[in-house]
Amino acid sequence: MTYVFPDEGRRRVVIEHVEPQVDNGRFPIKRTIGESVTVEADAFADGHDRIQCMLQYRSEHQTAWHKVAMKPLGNDRWQGTFQVHDIGRYCYTVTALIDHFASWIHDLKRRVDPADIDIALQMGAELIEGAATRAQNNDAEKLRSFVGLVRSDENPQIRLNAAMDGELAQLMTRYADQSLAAVYERELVVVVEPVLARFSAWYEAFPRSCSEETGRHGTFADCEARLPYIAGMGFDVLYLPPVHPIGLTKRKGPNNSLTAGKGDPGSPWAIGSKAGGHLSLHPELGTLKAFRSLITRAREHGLEIAMDIAFQCSPDHPYVEEHPEWFRHRSDGSVQYAENPPKKYEDIYPFDFENADWQSLWIELEGIFRFWIKQGVRIFRVDNPHTKNFYFWEWMIDRIKRDYPETIFLAEAFTRPKVLHYLAKVGFSQSYNYFPWRNTKHELTEYLTQLTRCKEREFLRPNLWPNTPDILTEYLQFGGRPAYMIRLVLAATLGASYGIYGPAFELFENRPREHGSEEYLDSEKYQIRSWDLHRHDSLKDYITRINRIRRENPALQYDRMLRFHSVDNDALICYSKNTEDFTNIILVLVNLDPHHTQSGWVNIPLDSFGLEMGLPYQAHDLLSSARFIWNGPRNFVELNPGMAPAHIFRLRRRVRSEKDFDYYM
Amino acid sequence: MTYVFPDEGRRRVVIEHVEPQVDNGRFPIKRTIGESVTVEADAFADGHDRIQCMLQYRSEHQTAWHKVAMKPLGNDRWQGTFQVHDIGRYCYTVTALIDHFASWIHDLKRRVDPADIDIALQMGAELIEGAATRAQNNDAEKLRSFVGLVRSDENPQIRLNAAMDGELAQLMTRYADQSLAAVYERELVVVVEPVLARFSAWYEAFPRSCSEETGRHGTFADCEARLPYIAGMGFDVLYLPPVHPIGLTKRKGPNNSLTAGKGDPGSPWAIGSKAGGHLSLHPELGTLKAFRSLITRAREHGLEIAMDIAFQCSPDHPYVEEHPEWFRHRSDGSVQYAENPPKKYEDIYPFDFENADWQSLWIELEGIFRFWIKQGVRIFRVDNPHTKNFYFWEWMIDRIKRDYPETIFLAEAFTRPKVLHYLAKVGFSQSYNYFPWRNTKHELTEYLTQLTRCKEREFLRPNLWPNTPDILTEYLQFGGRPAYMIRLVLAATLGASYGIYGPAFELFENRPREHGSEEYLDSEKYQIRSWDLHRHDSLKDYITRINRIRRENPALQYDRMLRFHSVDNDALICYSKNTEDFTNIILVLVNLDPHHTQSGWVNIPLDSFGLEMGLPYQAHDLLSSARFIWNGPRNFVELNPGMAPAHIFRLRRRVRSEKDFDYYM
């Protein structure tokens, strides 16, 4: 008979079900600088011996593991936590071993027969001796002195006291015999990104509409002039639609008409002309130098420029001539344009990711990111990533982030849920999602709970957009200015990251191209628009206030703690976010009905906020600055959408008198 | 810049989350002969192309894969099913590819522009040509004729009809281009066991108590004489506690007393004496020949003998002298006995699985199974597997089942849930569990739902025991004969596998050793008992009836379809099992109160049984043979525990007249 044995059959501990991990470690989890990773694992051994369970972690720049003792949670589950301080990648895993010393102590405490205790102490002394041989210097000496005490012929109580000494226990843990330790089968990875990947307010604007003169094509210099306006509202990211040369062939006219008139600027997503392709700038916007200047100026205003990367070509793109092999051809020899029969998009040629020369295509596309990173860009918004090969994205993002770990990628993947999730898994830092079409209390509660409470939150960071140049929802079309306020509060407080497409947003531009369409009439996608930023009814100040509330309240800077609370009126939604230590508790109440005043009773789970049931507490509306003293969990609220469709309350605990309020000081 | 690429970057399909699998394929799933495996997977590609998804499977004796087309369930989920016919191991996995032909057809149907259709037909003809080069003989010829039709200058409708021909679609699927197919990253394994691993009724009896003469030590021959009695009740498995020589040193006396009197037989679990160890038989039971004869006779009665394997030694076991290295030693040189301080079990020496010579121990222990398999044993009940190294069990069971795939292992693991689950994962076919202590409706519903509806059901097969020689629950102690009937019905109908320890069970022996103990008074573990099998109040006939109902109703032979239904009385529990085709529907109603008559209204989900709401249906009590005609979902039931504490109804559909009843014919 032949026998094949495992390497080490004396190992007795099992480690299973380590969390968090994505698809069994196939993909990394995500964090931002300063966040913690709380790791749980099942660990157990046969029999009745005690075990020790350790969390190990290290940044990619370190070779040695940091170790954190895990605490038992009951039912063979263990938990430990570490913090990530450096951008880049960390590894983590779990080890466990039979703790013979702890098992021995456990039994020793229960022994009653003196002869039995004597023999047990002798055997314990052997365990301590073993640890002494693994220790060095002082520690070894200390352990040897414990051996002496435990083995001595002093009275048993002195020997027992020595055995149960706290310092001995510590030393025995430190010098535990690792030879039969179990190590979890995988090293898991956490990718650590800048804080902006988690907490960010985005503003999208077409540079060509930034000119102050009606009709003149905006330039990067005009964008620079617009920076104080955008930064003043408190945004972190200014996202520009594609800034590359725009094709002429089959160029679209205003309102997506098939023929462009002379002077019509075309869609910025129809990339490439004689002036160049993805590595060039649209001549009317300005030079590379002007673009770099915009990035620098923006940064001085606390704004990062996000660049739009749309991997598709106009028929005039230089690639079409230089690399015909990257495109699919029709049987008549022409290049295959984008289509969704019977619709044709003849101004767009998609790349063929099944082409035999895929490696040269991948190299070229990756080079586009590298080129713009070298110009100073740190954030990319990627257009329709779900229509390009997923394996390309994984390969590209991994490569870029190894060289430039501060880079942030936003996936514009308005697609099916599993595809959206997969793009987040392969490395996109943030994801557009279905928020625009979630309007009722039920829809919002269900969807945001899924996004923030399910296992997807380990890799998917939602970025909530009430509108985009492609999305003017029915809710916005018919709800007027209150609808814009409502959707703004929802986006900015439900999501640690959110964005708006302006100035259409602050000026609540809501005319659709036609009934039933989500396209804007006279969309900036096809023409230059001039906006009156100084209109008295602009939502600029409301936006400014909300962005300030976001910056001042750490609770709003994370999605994990989002919880919904009951209100006895379906038109009112109530939810909260808080820091883990409850020093910052934000409770948001929104009237989802843009047309009518709504009121109801809200139920606040005081104990889960660390608020004492008996004591009054303060609800401070950060939008209106009004302060309320509330008692108990049930409170009445009324919201008039024409006036103020939402409260953003900060709840403060332990109200004793006015002097206890922190604003009193 | 250096580039490292994936092997094939043109592959565009992703396959994820294939189910069933256990811990990412670390462990196999389990089935019995004839069962099906329904596999689901997420599969999707970038863009809008159609995909094709295939389930592949093969038995370990085959090299070629069988392929089953998977059906889309929506939301990128796919499903396919295969059946396992052979004992042993099967592999299965999922493949998927972009279906260029189906994508082309999808678009073709939507095209309207004649020039566009012409070009599309030309391109489709190229696809068909490609398939023709992969096909042979007739199929290739057929495909080429389709190329001709699609490319011809006939009128477009004829060309379109050819393109959409059903036979062409089939051929295109069969000869799809596999070069860019994605294959799921793992081959998953299903271990196929005998039907008895899923559906079995066990009877445990001490051979030494099988003598018909009071006081005489029973023998294997006495067991043979008892076979008609046991088989007559309809059991499948006769499980014998250890049959090895019993140690003398520190032998326990009646009721676990520390000193055995002369003539006290000792505990069969204190294995080993001068007469031998785990490879020997207790001389008073009989010879190896007698044991083999018992196995053969039992099989003639439709009974398999299950042997108890308890890996521990009495101080007199030959291993203690021959292999001192397999045991732990105390500092005074003595062998470490089993203990749970302050309790000592000095009649038992456990093996030390951390000993340096672990390989020789593993070989010896595995050899014990091989030895008894060669004597004809096919079923082993393993004592306390959770106190022995898990990796040993995995290694041993895998080896044994590769040579003897019909072998069944029952784990006696009354331990924490994750340990119990892990033993099932490493290969035990069936598991004892917490059923004995689940008595209320809430407890039973929660626990059985967990066992039969959660992912554990892929590897954990519960075996439900109302009693064992170690477990005389409070419920049985105080509930009298009705309690035994109730627990019997629950075990035998909630579980496809169940067992009782008799004759203590059928004679409802319920005296505990002391108040608060779950041990029997005068337990057979320490003394020989003589049972009056002919007592007029024996539950023998009731057990016989229930085992016959189990054999006649396939619904009771599986656990997967168990569902609980509401009754408006917490003392009444109602549940059902049915075959997938609803030809066999069993509805069980049990009064959990052994002392009082209970009544209530039960709610039967007619539609989920395929019963029509408007029509009456028959409820046939298989216990009492009474037949009821029921109408609608709500029905009244009343159960007197002294008379009949349970109904086991078979529900029959489509009742039109008496003549439609199947018993009428």
Side-chain angles (χ1 to χ4, degrees):
Chain A
M1 189 141 328
T2 59
Y3 295 95
V4 181
F5 291 99
D7 288 347
E8 178 50 88
R10 292 175 297 172
R11 196 167 284 136
R12 291 167 47 207
V13 189
V14 170
I15 305 171
E16 291 192 308
H17 304 151
V18 175
E19 295 289 340
Q21 58 175 300
V22 182
D23 294 351
N24 237 42
R26 163 75 177 81
F27 301 101
I29 66 162
K30 293 179 187 148
R31 290 292 186 274
T32 57
I33 292 175
E35 276 192 285
S36 59
V37 181
T38 294
V39 177
E40 289 191 8
D42 290 346
F44 49 82
D46 64 89
H48 307 290
D49 286 324
R50 311 280 117 174
I51 68 167
Q52 219 185 78
C53 198
M54 291 287 204
L55 168 61
Q56 295 194 145
Y57 70 97
R58 59 180 171 78
S59 94
E60 62 186 329
H61 308 299
Q62 301 166 325
T63 48
W65 292 101
H66 298 272
K67 294 190 180 193
V68 181
M70 298 177 84
K71 289 175 312 196
L73 299 175
N75 195 21
D76 296 311
R77 193 83 180 148
W78 297 74
Q79 189 187 66
T81 297
F82 68 97
Q83 273 202 316
V84 289
H85 298 291
D86 300 324
I87 210 161
R89 298 162 76 91
Y90 281 69
C91 291
Y92 59 99
T93 193
V94 172
T95 69
L97 48 80
I98 303 273
D99 191 334
H100 286 292
F101 182 76
S103 306
W104 174 75
I105 289 280
H106 173 267
D107 284 355
L108 186 63
K109 287 179 178 167
R110 280 154 190 83
R111 292 184 192 279
V112 287
D113 174 355
D116 196 35
I117 292 175
D118 180 63
I119 289 179
L121 286 167
Q122 297 294 346
M123 292 171 76
E126 286 169 31
L127 284 176
I128 304 168
E129 231 164 17
T133 63
R134 290 184 293 272
Q136 277 149 9
N137 308 335
N138 276 355
D139 287 347
E141 241 165 75
K142 265 185 204 155
L143 282 163
R144 269 188 210 101
S145 75
F146 276 112
V147 172
L149 284 167
V150 170
R151 194 173 266 163
S152 74
D153 45 16
E154 300 272 358
N155 86 46
Q157 196 53 52
I158 292 176
R159 298 170 67 192
L160 283 171
N161 289 349
M164 293 175 200
D165 189 292
E167 193 188 2
L168 174 60
Q170 277 181 14
L171 287 168
M172 290 303 289
T173 299
R174 192 173 315 149
Y175 299 105
D177 182 359
Q178 301 287 336
S179 63
L180 301 182
V183 182
Y184 184 60
E185 59 189 319
R186 280 181 296 284
E187 287 185 12
L188 301 164
V189 174
V190 46
V191 166
V192 182
E193 301 190 84
V195 171
L196 220 46
R198 164 176 52 81
F199 173 57
S200 55
W202 290 53
Y203 187 86
E204 173 173 6
F206 283 79
R208 67 191 185 190
S209 294
C210 284
S211 149
E212 291 293 320
E213 294 163 53
T214 305
R216 180 171 65 73
H217 194 289
T219 65
F220 292 131
D222 293 318
C223 290
E224 279 192 29
R226 185 67 58 90
L227 290 172
Y229 170 80
I230 298 164
M233 284 189 281
F235 287 99
D236 308 303
V237 180
L238 168 57
Y239 148 44
L240 311 177
V243 289
H244 311 301
I246 297 172
L248 269 166
T249 305
K250 304 272 181 186
R251 176 179 282 193
K252 296 284 178 71
N255 291 305
N256 200 25
S257 64
L258 285 182
T259 46
K262 199 166 150 44
D264 283 337
S267 162
W269 283 275
I271 295 168
S273 76
K274 278 183 189 145
H278 288 78
L279 300 177
S280 303
L281 291 166
H282 190 54
E284 293 187 71
L285 287 172
T287 63
L288 203 53
K289 193 175 159 203
F291 184 63
R292 281 195 300 253
S293 163
L294 172 62
I295 292 170
T296 309
R297 289 291 155 277
R299 208 160 277 151
E300 288 164 12
H301 281 87
L303 278 167
E304 282 294 323
I305 297 293
M307 197 169 180
D308 194 332
I309 297 291
F311 281 146
Q312 55 193 23
C313 299
S314 100
D316 308 323
H317 198 295
Y319 290 157
V320 179
E321 292 270 312
E322 292 164 14
H323 292 283
E325 71 278 13
W326 291 348
F327 301 90
R328 192 164 288 179
H329 289 77
R330 311 210 312 159
S331 60
D332 63 354
S334 63
V335 178
Q336 177 68 62
Y337 46 80
E339 59 170 356
N340 183 15
K343 287 192 203 160
K344 304 175 182 185
Y345 308 99
E346 294 179 79
D347 58 334
I348 298 293
Y349 290 172
F351 290 115
D352 174 14
F353 280 84
E354 286 187 6
N355 90 79
D357 213 14
W358 59 275
Q359 295 190 342
S360 72
L361 176 64
W362 286 24
I363 289 172
E364 178 70 18
L365 299 184
E366 194 234 16
I368 292 169
F369 287 100
R370 289 190 183 271
F371 177 83
W372 293 110
I373 288 170
K374 283 186 186 127
Q375 310 312 314
V377 176
R378 291 180 192 161
I379 306 186
F380 296 95
R381 177 269 195 197
V382 176
D383 192 77
N384 280 341
H386 56 292
T387 60
K388 286 96 197 172
N389 190 324
F390 304 123
Y391 301 98
F392 163 72
W393 294 123
E394 185 172 20
W395 176 86
M396 182 282 290
I397 294 175
D398 181 66
R399 284 178 55 88
I400 295 289
K401 286 190 83 89
R402 281 178 194 273
D403 290 345
Y404 308 101
E406 68 282 4
T407 315
I408 291 173
F409 298 89
L410 167 64
E412 190 234 14
F414 290 112
T415 175
R416 307 186 308 280
K418 286 170 187 168
V419 176
L420 192 158
H421 292 166
Y422 199 76
L423 288 163
K425 289 186 204 175
V426 302
F428 282 92
S429 318
Q430 298 187 348
S431 306
Y432 286 74
N433 47 71
Y434 312 140
F435 171 75
W437 302 281
R438 298 293 183 266
N439 290 292
T440 67
K441 176 151 84 175
H442 176 75
E443 287 168 353
L444 286 163
T445 304
E446 193 182 47
Y447 190 56
L448 270 296
T449 301
Q450 187 196 316
L451 285 177
T452 59
R453 289 268 157 186
C454 296
K455 62 184 192 323
E456 281 79 23
R457 71 180 188 179
E458 299 297 345
F459 59 84
L460 183 90
R461 294 199 197 90
N463 191 331
L464 309 186
W465 288 70
N467 75 331
T468 76
D470 296 313
I471 304 170
L472 172 64
T473 63
E474 268 195 298
Y475 186 88
L476 293 176
Q477 289 176 32
F478 297 107
R481 191 174 186 268
Y484 280 76
M485 295 169 76
I486 290 164
R487 296 298 295 176
L488 176 71
V489 172
L490 291 172
T493 59
L494 286 170
S497 287
Y498 87 105
I500 57 172
Y501 152 54
F505 192 89
E506 60 265 33
L507 301 177
F508 41 97
E509 171 82 4
N510 66 352
R511 294 166 305 145
R513 197 163 75 209
E514 60 201 21
H515 181 74
S517 163
E518 288 198 338
E519 291 280 335
Y520 288 87
L521 182 68
D522 300 333
S523 167
E524 286 185 287
K525 290 197 292 186
Y526 311 107
Q527 64 195 81
I528 295 170
R529 290 285 299 270
S530 177
W531 302 97
D532 177 6
L533 303 181
H534 308 293
R535 249 167 57 190
H536 75 282
D537 57 353
S538 165
L539 289 170
K540 177 168 75 74
D541 293 342
Y542 196 68
I543 295 167
T544 306
R545 181 131 208 162
I546 284 174
N547 281 333
R548 198 171 69 221
I549 293 169
R550 285 168 48 88
R551 287 189 178 173
E552 289 173 356
N553 290 278
L556 293 173
Q557 298 168 15
Y558 297 83
D559 286 335
R560 293 192 162 233
M561 304 298 274
L562 176 67
R563 282 180 295 177
F564 290 87
H565 309 298
S566 70
V567 200
D568 61 355
N569 178 341
D570 273 353
L572 295 177
I573 191 168
C574 177
Y575 50 89
S576 67
K577 287 183 168 184
N578 57 267
T579 54
E580 278 184 48
D581 61 2
F582 297 110
T583 53
N584 191 240
I585 306 168
I586 298 294
L587 184 86
V588 182
L589 261 149
V590 184
N591 179 357
L592 300 174
D593 174 354
H595 306 291
H596 306 97
T597 297
Q598 297 281 355
S599 62
W601 288 87
V602 58
N603 234 312
I604 300 158
L606 297 184
D607 48 347
S608 71
F609 288 142
L611 296 168
E612 287 172 56
M613 286 296 279
L615 298 176
Y617 55 99
Q618 192 200 57
H620 174 190
D621 185 358
L622 304 173
L623 280 170
S624 68
S625 297
R627 289 180 166 83
F628 306 87
I629 302 295
W630 280 357
N631 268 290
R634 271 174 69 79
N635 289 282
F636 182 78
V637 288
E638 184 173 89
L639 288 163
N640 175 345
M643 308 274 290
H647 292 306
I648 304 180
F649 288 121
R650 175 161 182 204
L651 301 187
R652 288 193 177 85
R653 303 193 273 174
R654 289 192 307 121
V655 177
R656 291 204 197 88
S657 82
E658 281 299 295
K659 294 189 185 165
D660 288 314
F661 290 165
D662 53 10
Y663 67 89
Y664 192 88
M665 292 178 288
Chain B
M1 187 137 333
T2 59
Y3 296 95
V4 181
F5 292 100
D7 288 347
E8 177 52 85
R10 292 175 295 173
R11 196 167 284 136
R12 290 167 48 207
V13 188
V14 171
I15 304 171
E16 290 192 311
H17 304 153
V18 174
E19 296 288 343
Q21 59 174 297
V22 183
D23 295 351
N24 238 41
R26 163 75 175 82
F27 301 101
I29 66 162
K30 294 179 185 145
R31 289 293 187 272
T32 56
I33 292 176
E35 277 192 284
S36 59
V37 181
T38 294
V39 177
E40 290 191 10
D42 290 347
F44 49 83
D46 65 89
H48 306 290
D49 286 325
R50 310 281 117 176
I51 68 167
Q52 214 184 80
C53 199
M54 290 289 204
L55 168 61
Q56 297 193 143
Y57 70 96
R58 58 179 172 82
S59 94
E60 62 186 329
H61 308 300
Q62 301 167 323
T63 49
W65 291 102
H66 299 270
K67 295 190 181 193
V68 180
M70 297 177 84
K71 291 174 309 196
L73 300 177
N75 193 23
D76 296 312
R77 193 87 181 143
W78 297 74
Q79 189 186 68
T81 296
F82 67 98
Q83 272 202 318
V84 289
H85 299 291
D86 299 324
I87 211 162
R89 300 160 76 89
Y90 280 69
C91 290
Y92 60 99
T93 194
V94 172
T95 69
L97 48 81
I98 304 271
D99 190 333
H100 287 293
F101 182 76
S103 306
W104 173 76
I105 289 280
H106 173 267
D107 284 357
L108 186 63
K109 287 179 178 168
R110 283 155 189 80
R111 293 184 191 280
V112 287
D113 175 355
D116 196 34
I117 292 174
D118 180 62
I119 289 179
L121 287 168
Q122 296 295 344
M123 294 171 76
E126 285 167 31
L127 284 177
I128 303 167
E129 230 163 19
T133 64
R134 291 184 291 274
Q136 278 149 8
N137 308 335
N138 273 355
D139 288 347
E141 238 163 79
K142 267 185 202 154
L143 283 163
R144 270 189 209 99
S145 75
F146 276 113
V147 172
L149 283 166
V150 170
R151 195 173 265 161
S152 73
D153 43 13
E154 299 273 358
N155 87 46
Q157 197 52 53
I158 292 176
R159 297 171 67 193
L160 283 172
N161 289 348
M164 293 174 198
D165 188 290
E167 193 189 1
L168 175 59
Q170 278 182 14
L171 288 168
M172 290 303 289
T173 299
R174 191 174 314 150
Y175 298 104
D177 182 358
Q178 301 287 334
S179 63
L180 301 181
V183 182
Y184 184 60
E185 57 189 320
R186 279 183 296 284
E187 288 185 10
L188 300 164
V189 174
V190 47
V191 166
V192 182
E193 301 188 86
V195 170
L196 219 46
R198 163 175 54 79
F199 172 58
S200 55
W202 292 51
Y203 186 85
E204 174 174 4
F206 283 81
R208 67 192 185 189
S209 295
C210 284
S211 147
E212 290 294 320
E213 295 162 52
T214 306
R216 181 169 66 72
H217 193 288
T219 63
F220 293 130
D222 293 318
C223 291
E224 281 192 28
R226 183 69 56 91
L227 291 172
Y229 171 79
I230 299 164
M233 284 189 282
F235 287 98
D236 308 303
V237 179
L238 167 57
Y239 148 45
L240 310 178
V243 289
H244 311 301
I246 297 172
L248 269 166
T249 306
K250 304 273 181 186
R251 176 179 282 192
K252 296 284 177 71
N255 291 304
N256 200 25
S257 64
L258 286 182
T259 47
K262 196 164 156 38
D264 282 339
S267 161
W269 284 275
I271 294 169
S273 75
K274 279 184 187 142
H278 287 78
L279 300 178
S280 304
L281 291 167
H282 191 53
E284 293 186 71
L285 287 172
T287 62
L288 202 53
K289 193 176 159 205
F291 184 63
R292 281 195 299 254
S293 163
L294 172 62
I295 294 170
T296 309
R297 287 292 153 280
R299 207 161 280 151
E300 287 165 11
H301 281 88
L303 280 167
E304 283 293 323
I305 297 293
M307 198 170 179
D308 194 332
I309 298 291
F311 280 147
Q312 55 193 23
C313 299
S314 100
D316 308 322
H317 197 296
Y319 289 157
V320 179
E321 293 268 313
E322 292 163 15
H323 293 284
E325 70 279 9
W326 291 348
F327 301 90
R328 194 164 286 179
H329 289 76
R330 310 211 311 160
S331 59
D332 63 356
S334 63
V335 178
Q336 177 69 63
Y337 46 80
E339 59 171 358
N340 184 14
K343 286 191 203 161
K344 303 176 181 182
Y345 307 99
E346 294 178 82
D347 58 332
I348 298 292
Y349 290 172
F351 290 114
D352 175 13
F353 280 84
E354 287 187 7
N355 90 81
D357 213 16
W358 58 275
Q359 296 191 341
S360 72
L361 176 62
W362 286 25
I363 289 172
E364 178 71 19
L365 299 185
E366 195 233 16
I368 293 170
F369 287 100
R370 290 191 183 271
F371 177 82
W372 294 110
I373 288 170
K374 285 186 186 130
Q375 310 314 314
V377 176
R378 291 179 192 162
I379 306 186
F380 296 95
R381 178 269 193 193
V382 177
D383 191 76
N384 279 341
H386 56 291
T387 60
K388 286 97 198 172
N389 191 325
F390 304 122
Y391 301 98
F392 162 72
W393 295 124
E394 186 172 18
W395 176 86
M396 182 280 292
I397 294 174
D398 181 66
R399 285 177 55 87
I400 294 289
K401 286 188 82 90
R402 281 180 194 272
D403 291 345
Y404 307 101
E406 68 283 3
T407 315
I408 291 173
F409 298 89
L410 166 63
E412 189 234 15
F414 291 112
T415 176
R416 307 187 306 280
K418 286 169 187 170
V419 176
L420 193 158
H421 292 166
Y422 198 75
L423 287 163
K425 289 185 204 175
V426 301
F428 282 92
S429 318
Q430 298 187 346
S431 306
Y432 284 73
N433 48 71
Y434 312 140
F435 171 74
W437 303 282
R438 298 293 183 268
N439 290 292
T440 67
K441 177 152 84 174
H442 176 74
E443 287 167 352
L444 286 163
T445 305
E446 193 182 48
Y447 190 56
L448 271 297
T449 301
Q450 186 195 316
L451 285 178
T452 58
R453 288 270 158 185
C454 298
K455 62 183 193 322
E456 281 79 24
R457 72 180 185 177
E458 299 297 343
F459 58 82
L460 183 90
R461 295 198 197 93
N463 191 330
L464 309 185
W465 289 70
N467 75 331
T468 78
D470 296 313
I471 304 170
L472 172 64
T473 63
E474 268 195 299
Y475 187 88
L476 292 178
Q477 288 175 33
F478 296 109
R481 191 173 184 269
Y484 279 76
M485 293 169 76
I486 291 165
R487 296 298 295 178
L488 176 72
V489 172
L490 291 172
T493 58
L494 286 169
S497 286
Y498 88 104
I500 57 172
Y501 151 54
F505 192 89
E506 60 265 32
L507 301 177
F508 41 98
E509 171 83 3
N510 66 352
R511 294 165 307 145
R513 197 162 74 207
E514 61 203 18
H515 181 72
S517 164
E518 288 198 338
E519 290 280 336
Y520 287 87
L521 182 68
D522 300 333
S523 166
E524 285 185 286
K525 289 197 291 185
Y526 310 107
Q527 65 196 81
I528 294 170
R529 290 286 298 272
S530 176
W531 302 98
D532 176 6
L533 304 181
H534 308 292
R535 249 167 58 190
H536 75 281
D537 57 354
S538 166
L539 290 169
K540 179 168 74 75
D541 292 342
Y542 197 66
I543 294 168
T544 306
R545 179 130 208 163
I546 286 175
N547 281 334
R548 197 171 69 221
I549 292 169
R550 284 168 48 89
R551 287 189 178 172
E552 289 174 356
N553 289 278
L556 294 173
Q557 299 170 11
Y558 298 82
D559 286 334
R560 294 193 161 228
M561 303 300 273
L562 177 66
R563 283 180 295 175
F564 290 87
H565 309 297
S566 70
V567 201
D568 61 356
N569 177 341
D570 272 353
L572 295 178
I573 191 167
C574 178
Y575 49 88
S576 67
K577 288 184 168 183
N578 57 266
T579 53
E580 279 184 47
D581 62 0
F582 298 109
T583 52
N584 190 239
I585 306 168
I586 298 294
L587 183 84
V588 182
L589 261 150
V590 185
N591 178 358
L592 301 174
D593 175 354
H595 305 293
H596 307 97
T597 296
Q598 298 281 352
S599 61
W601 287 88
V602 59
N603 234 314
I604 300 158
L606 297 184
D607 49 347
S608 70
F609 288 142
L611 296 168
E612 285 171 59
M613 287 296 278
L615 298 177
Y617 54 99
Q618 191 202 55
H620 174 191
D621 185 357
L622 304 174
L623 280 170
S624 69
S625 298
R627 290 183 165 84
F628 305 87
I629 302 295
W630 281 356
N631 267 290
R634 272 174 68 78
N635 289 283
F636 182 79
V637 288
E638 183 173 89
L639 289 163
N640 175 346
M643 308 274 291
H647 291 306
I648 303 178
F649 288 121
R650 176 162 181 203
L651 302 187
R652 288 195 176 82
R653 303 192 274 175
R654 291 191 306 118
V655 177
R656 292 205 196 87
S657 79
E658 283 297 294
K659 292 188 185 165
D660 287 315
F661 291 164
D662 52 12
Y663 68 88
Y664 191 90
M665 292 179 285

